[in-house]
Amino acid sequence: MSKIDREGPFDCIVVGGGHAGVEASSIVSRAGYSVLLLSLNLDEIAQMSCNPAIGGIAKGHIVREIDALGGLMGQIIDHTGIHYKMLNLSKGSAMWSPRAQADKYQYKQYAKNILENSPNLQLRQDSVCDLIVDSKQNKITGVVTDRGNKYYASHVILTTGTFLKGKIHIGDHTFSGGRIGAQSAERLSGSLEKFGFEVSRLKTGTPPRIHAATMNLNKLEAQEPDKVPQPFSFAFEYDHAALPQKQIPCYITYTTAKTKEIVEKNLLRSALYGGKIKSVGPRYCPSIEDKIVRFADKERHQIFLEPEGLDTNEVYVNGISTSLPEDVQWEIVNSIIGLEDAQIMRPGYAIEYDFCPPTQLHPWLETKKVEGLFFAGQINGTTGYEEAGAQGLMAGYNVIHKIRKMDPLVLGRDEAYIGVLIDDLVTKGVEEPYRMFTSRAEYRLFLRQDNADFRLMKYPHNVGLDRGLYARMQSRYECYNAVKIAIEKTKISEEILVLLGKANIDIQKGLPLSHVFKRPQVPSEISIALFDYITNFDSSFLSEMEKIKLSMDIKYEGYVIREMVKTKRRMEAVEKIIPEDIDYDAINGLKTEAREKLKRVRPVNLGQAARISGVDPSDIDIVLLNISKAAKQNKDVSRKNVLSQSGKVKNEQ
């Protein structure tokens, strides 16, 4: 532990001990700089306030990127994960996304232990209420807490989560809190406004937790974890290390017609539909009230029952986030198949909180108004542990870069999902809580979860924080390149044709073996088996996952080039005018969110359309295609009219 005055000055102060705060404080302190982490409750470091899970669609990609960049989230989940699942295996491998349920109590304890044993890092329990700013130089110099303590630093990272004026709603019952059972930060928002920051409100929510012993397992569908779980951390992956925790099942069930009836009957008792909540919630994680209203024709909704740990009976009811009163929540839970006798241990609730629109930030997450002040996590309008952790890590990196007088670290959209995330935030802003999806990334065919090490490990290496993994990564990819060359030199033989015939794959003898890997719909078991036929090469040292990864690399090479051409075309078309009378409802393939916002904003060109929050590159491609088709049809019609008119004149002559 570094010796430093109680009040500082520190090199960096991190306000908030959630997932963003953990990553920010850890990376800066490991770089050798003094850090003070201030948290309202040190027992809730890295608390999983909502779903006890890490990863998921696109979010799993972010966690792998965090790990490749030297962050902690991948390590923590690999030491505490109790149910691993690779999602989207039925789709192309660029869409494969790892996800893991955590033992939430082990997760936060493991994170806290890392921080407590980090040199240069001090943890203190206190609530920040004000900032200290040098008005002449417009620089941050410290913070003030509710107890009147003053701490000084030249860099401050705010990672306040849902705590800024947090207000919890359970039906008519409303009270202040950053999460249920935790106090809110009531005064810091006012300080931000005092220094010229725009502050607004968002909303999120969480479902009830039930007692596992009161579930009827005979009526539930068991969801088993993967037999061979893929770790999030590259350290585990490189060592082929077994994950330490026991793996247990989750369960799937469904709402019923009675559930719908209960919600409809009590809709006005919901804080959301009763008018108590004014702010906007996450579109892609709707409450059960929203689901019943927005999808009125749907007969049932899928529910995931997810254990919160190995040593607790609490189960997270994923799919019924709600702000309805407790008596209605009991009715809803007991109307669900297999939960007829289930007992609620903690009620679901909605929470409103302050955030600062992220267009007030530079792309390196430093505020434009106050030098040395950084924002990360839900204060920027995002939702999700993964998005928060990524921002905390990048803010921490940029504190390191600023101290060392290096250029800011800004990841490109072609480098990482984290680059897409931050670019979307600071360029487009947010109108509702932002979460990451694969569709937001125009380079998603290259930004796969399996190659995050190749893309990003150079950055921790550049600042001396690679944990010895960079050299191992380089050796790994040198080996991969050797295997790829051997595959290209191997010709398809009779033996290989026999193997491919089992999967009804018809291909010409004598072609390079790489032609098989480039075929769509080649089963993974066939791809793995093909490595045994590589000429003059022993591939037995490769793991099954490494063989799958290599086959993906070969398969996607052509697609990546095609995607780059498409991206270039999109960039060249930014000034292309969008017809005033364009009918967005008639354009197939647009996301519902994009369609709604394009209709409302009516952008004049594609560049303006691309800057609308919620309109992704894939939506721009669809609009561009529609405009091009319409222009071609109009050109063809005009040409026909000219030819027709020309023929008419000729006949008259």
Side-chain angles (χ1 to χ4, degrees):
M1 185 68 67
S2 60
K3 291 182 179 179
I4 195 163
D5 290 342
R6 184 181 65 189
E7 296 176 350
F10 297 89
D11 291 310
C12 181
I13 294 173
V14 177
V15 179
H19 303 274
V22 165
E23 298 292 355
S25 58
S26 174
I27 197 75
V28 178
S29 66
R30 279 187 284 134
Y33 302 108
S34 59
V35 179
L36 173 65
L37 173 62
L38 294 168
S39 173
L40 283 163
N41 186 346
L42 293 180
D43 292 328
E44 295 185 345
I45 294 288
Q47 171 78 350
M48 292 178 144
S49 306
C50 198
N51 195 340
I54 293 295
I57 306 301
K59 291 171 175 281
H61 292 68
I62 290 177
V63 182
R64 296 279 278 172
E65 291 177 353
I66 289 172
D67 188 77
L69 287 163
L72 298 180
M73 187 172 282
Q75 293 180 56
I76 301 171
I77 186 60
D78 281 348
H79 281 92
T80 62
I82 57 177
H83 179 103
Y84 279 70
K85 205 79 177 173
M86 184 65 76
L87 306 181
N88 276 345
L89 285 177
S90 62
K91 299 182 180 180
S93 51
M95 302 288 286
W96 294 3
S97 299
R99 184 181 187 273
Q101 291 294 127
D103 183 313
K104 65 184 290 185
Y105 302 101
Q106 288 189 29
Y107 188 98
K108 67 179 182 179
Q109 189 58 53
Y110 195 90
K112 187 185 180 191
N113 285 341
I114 291 176
L115 298 188
E116 286 179 337
N117 290 287
S118 296
N120 311 311
L121 175 59
Q122 296 187 41
L123 284 73
R124 300 197 193 152
Q125 187 162 300
D126 209 342
S127 175
V128 172
C129 64
D130 200 1
L131 304 175
I132 305 172
V133 177
D134 181 335
S135 57
K136 291 183 179 178
Q137 299 186 67
N138 209 32
K139 291 183 178 180
I140 194 77
T141 58
V143 299
V144 183
T145 73
D146 281 337
R147 299 200 299 268
N149 294 319
K150 293 183 178 180
Y151 299 104
Y152 297 94
S154 52
H155 306 86
V156 172
I157 305 174
L158 296 187
T159 68
T160 51
T162 59
F163 282 74
L164 293 180
K165 290 188 178 178
K167 182 176 287 188
I168 293 171
H169 300 272
I170 306 174
D172 290 332
H173 187 50
T174 299
F175 54 98
S176 295
R179 66 172 70 94
I180 200 161
Q183 71 183 82
S184 59
E186 291 295 315
R187 297 165 60 190
L188 185 53
S189 295
S191 176
L192 290 168
E193 290 176 319
K194 176 179 70 177
F195 291 110
F197 289 98
E198 179 189 351
V199 177
S200 192
R201 298 281 277 177
L202 287 174
K203 166 240 174 209
T204 190
T206 189
R209 276 70 162 175
I210 61 174
H211 197 296
T214 62
M215 302 187 313
N216 186 345
L217 298 184
N218 293 327
K219 292 186 176 182
L220 303 176
E221 176 188 340
Q223 183 186 46
E224 298 295 337
D226 289 342
K227 290 182 180 179
V228 183
Q230 180 185 315
F232 281 90
S233 64
F234 287 98
F236 265 86
E237 184 175 320
Y238 290 176
D239 290 337
H240 303 294
L243 297 170
Q245 297 299 332
K246 174 185 176 183
Q247 298 294 294
I248 62 174
C250 295
Y251 295 91
I252 297 173
T253 185
Y254 297 90
T255 61
T256 62
K258 187 177 180 183
T259 311
K260 183 178 181 181
E261 180 185 329
I262 293 166
V263 173
E264 289 177 336
K265 177 182 174 183
N266 293 281
L267 203 56
L268 293 181
R269 296 185 65 194
S270 158
L272 179 62
Y273 283 89
K276 293 179 72 90
I277 294 175
K278 305 294 184 185
S279 48
V280 180
R283 173 186 298 265
Y284 298 103
C285 188
S287 65
I288 188 62
E289 299 98 292
D290 267 338
K291 287 180 180 179
I292 297 300
V293 171
R294 286 164 51 186
F295 309 106
D297 58 336
K298 198 164 184 178
E299 293 183 4
R300 63 178 190 172
H301 297 275
Q302 193 172 52
I303 305 296
F304 294 91
L305 302 171
E306 300 167 334
E308 298 215 319
L310 296 175
D311 299 315
T312 178
N313 277 319
E314 286 192 70
V315 174
Y316 182 91
V317 188
N318 188 346
I320 57 167
S321 174
T322 185
S323 63
L324 283 159
E326 285 184 70
D327 61 308
V328 181
Q329 292 188 37
W330 277 81
E331 287 186 62
I332 289 171
V333 167
N334 294 151
S335 72
I336 294 170
I337 297 168
L339 305 185
E340 294 84 358
D341 300 313
Q343 296 176 8
I344 293 178
M345 298 179 71
R346 304 181 200 232
Y349 61 89
I351 181 168
E352 291 184 286
Y353 55 94
D354 283 352
F355 83 105
C356 293
T359 49
Q360 301 173 95
L361 301 175
H362 293 294
W364 51 95
L365 298 180
E366 185 177 20
T367 66
K368 295 173 181 176
K369 292 184 180 296
V370 178
E371 185 181 346
L373 178 62
F374 295 76
F375 294 167
Q378 284 180 280
I379 190 173
N380 290 336
T382 60
T383 180
Y385 313 139
E386 302 81 4
E387 289 88 343
Q391 294 170 71
L393 183 64
M394 295 310 297
Y397 259 104
N398 279 300
V399 167
I400 296 169
H401 278 232
K402 196 172 180 69
I403 293 172
R404 296 183 182 180
K405 302 189 185 311
M406 298 167 63
D407 290 336
L409 177 56
V410 179
L411 298 178
R413 296 180 71 93
D414 59 339
E415 283 187 284
Y417 273 89
I418 296 174
V420 176
L421 163 68
I422 295 175
D423 184 60
D424 279 353
L425 292 176
V426 302
T427 304
K428 298 182 177 183
V430 296
E431 296 178 358
E432 57 195 51
Y434 179 104
R435 69 172 290 181
M436 180 53 68
F437 290 101
T438 52
S439 62
R440 297 194 193 276
E442 55 268 56
Y443 295 97
R444 57 187 171 276
L445 294 182
F446 175 61
L447 305 181
R448 303 195 311 273
Q449 55 83 24
D450 63 277
N451 65 11
D453 55 344
F454 176 74
R455 293 185 275 116
L456 300 171
M457 273 190 183
K458 61 185 177 185
Y459 292 111
H461 176 72
N462 290 344
V463 292
L465 294 171
D466 66 15
R467 298 184 296 214
L469 294 178
Y470 182 71
R472 296 180 70 183
M473 180 275 293
Q474 286 185 309
S475 296
R476 184 189 206 193
Y477 282 91
E478 286 172 7
C479 170
Y480 287 172
N481 286 333
V483 178
K484 286 181 185 178
I485 291 169
I487 289 172
E488 192 64 37
K489 289 181 177 179
T490 299
K491 304 301 180 185
I492 297 173
S493 63
E494 281 294 342
E495 284 183 296
I496 294 174
L497 288 177
V498 170
L499 174 67
L500 298 178
K502 294 176 181 178
N504 295 317
I505 300 171
D506 184 24
I507 196 167
Q508 184 181 334
K509 181 181 175 181
L511 289 173
L513 184 57
S514 59
H515 282 229
V516 181
F517 289 110
K518 291 177 181 178
R519 288 283 187 93
Q521 307 305 323
V522 175
S524 58
E525 60 270 20
I526 295 293
S527 294
I528 292 168
L530 286 171
F531 283 83
D532 294 334
Y533 296 88
I534 300 175
T535 305
N536 300 321
F537 198 93
D538 180 11
S539 63
S540 60
F541 64 92
L542 293 171
S543 70
E544 187 173 290
M545 283 307 300
E546 286 176 319
K547 290 175 181 177
I548 292 174
K549 174 189 160 29
L550 274 164
S551 66
M552 289 193 293
D553 280 346
I554 297 168
K555 178 176 290 187
Y556 277 96
E557 282 173 349
Y559 292 106
V560 170
I561 293 170
R562 191 184 308 169
E563 194 67 40
M564 288 179 175
V565 171
K566 187 188 293 185
T567 302
K568 183 181 178 183
R569 190 185 308 132
R570 187 189 307 124
M571 293 173 67
E572 290 171 347
V574 292
E575 298 301 324
K576 198 170 190 68
I577 300 297
I578 299 176
E580 289 184 17
D581 61 348
I582 190 169
D583 183 1
Y584 290 110
D585 287 326
I587 301 177
N588 293 325
L590 284 177
K591 296 196 319 296
T592 301
E593 179 184 5
R595 195 186 310 277
E596 289 174 1
K597 291 182 175 179
L598 288 167
K599 285 164 62 177
R600 187 177 77 235
V601 177
R602 307 299 301 185
V604 297
N605 59 34
L606 286 175
Q608 185 186 2
R611 293 191 295 274
I612 299 172
S613 174
V615 177
D616 296 332
S618 56
D619 300 309
I620 297 301
D621 287 340
I622 292 168
V623 173
L624 175 58
L625 180 63
N626 181 271
I627 293 171
S628 300
K629 279 185 177 179
K632 185 177 184 301
Q633 288 171 357
N634 290 337
K635 187 176 180 181
D636 289 344
V637 169
S638 298
R639 184 169 180 273
K640 285 179 182 178
N641 288 340
V642 169
L643 290 173
S644 175
Q645 187 65 28
S646 174
K648 184 178 178 183
V649 170
K650 198 169 185 179
N651 288 335
E652 288 176 353
Q653 290 175 342

